Every structure is written in C-alpha cells, then in structure tokens.
Amino acid sequence: MPKGKDVRVIVILECTSCVRNVVNKESRGISIYITQKNRHNTPSRLELTKFCPYCHKHTIHGEIKK
C-alpha cells in the first residue's frame, strides 16, 4: 500500500531581520535553522523566535519554501 503525504515535514527557518537588512554591511550572512513540523497541527507557516548569530540577538525566524 503506498503512503500518502507525510504528516511530518522538514522546514527551513530563516531570520526575517537579516533578510530585510541585506544591504547592511554589518551582516555577513543569513541565519538558517532546519526543523520539523506536523502538517495537521500547524497548516500555516511556522514562525519561531531563535538566536541569530549575525544579528547577535533573538529574532523571529520564518518558514521558507525549499
């Protein structure tokens, strides 16, 4: 029996403040985290507060497409 879509999917979280400030010369890159989410419990895009080593503070990391 073939399986349907997996309930748990791998998502990539990217720092939202680094993306907005790409012109900023202080930032050397964009912080990225990889995690999993349950598609049934969280159908919308995932946003978590994570530490960004480039901003040197906790910022909101949003889900991006692969």
Side-chain angles (χ1 to χ4, degrees):
M1 250 172 34
K3 283 188 174 180
K5 289 188 174 180
D6 292 334
V7 177
R8 288 226 160 248
V9 291
I10 296 174
V11 295
I12 300 171
L13 303 175
E14 188 176 71
C15 180
T16 55
S17 62
C18 286
V19 173
R20 289 189 201 130
N21 298 329
V22 171
V23 182
N24 189 359
K25 299 295 182 188
E26 297 172 6
S27 176
R28 296 185 314 275
I30 297 172
S31 173
I32 293 178
Y33 285 92
I34 298 174
T35 187
Q36 293 182 348
K37 79 170 186 177
N38 189 325
R39 192 176 289 174
H40 293 302
N41 294 341
T42 317
S44 61
R45 291 199 175 248
L46 191 62
E47 285 189 345
L48 297 174
T49 304
K50 296 281 196 178
F51 181 78
C52 178
Y54 302 108
C55 298
H56 302 291
K57 59 184 175 182
H58 284 86
T59 58
I60 295 175
H61 285 64
E63 179 181 338
I64 60 169
K65 291 184 180 180
K66 288 186 184 179

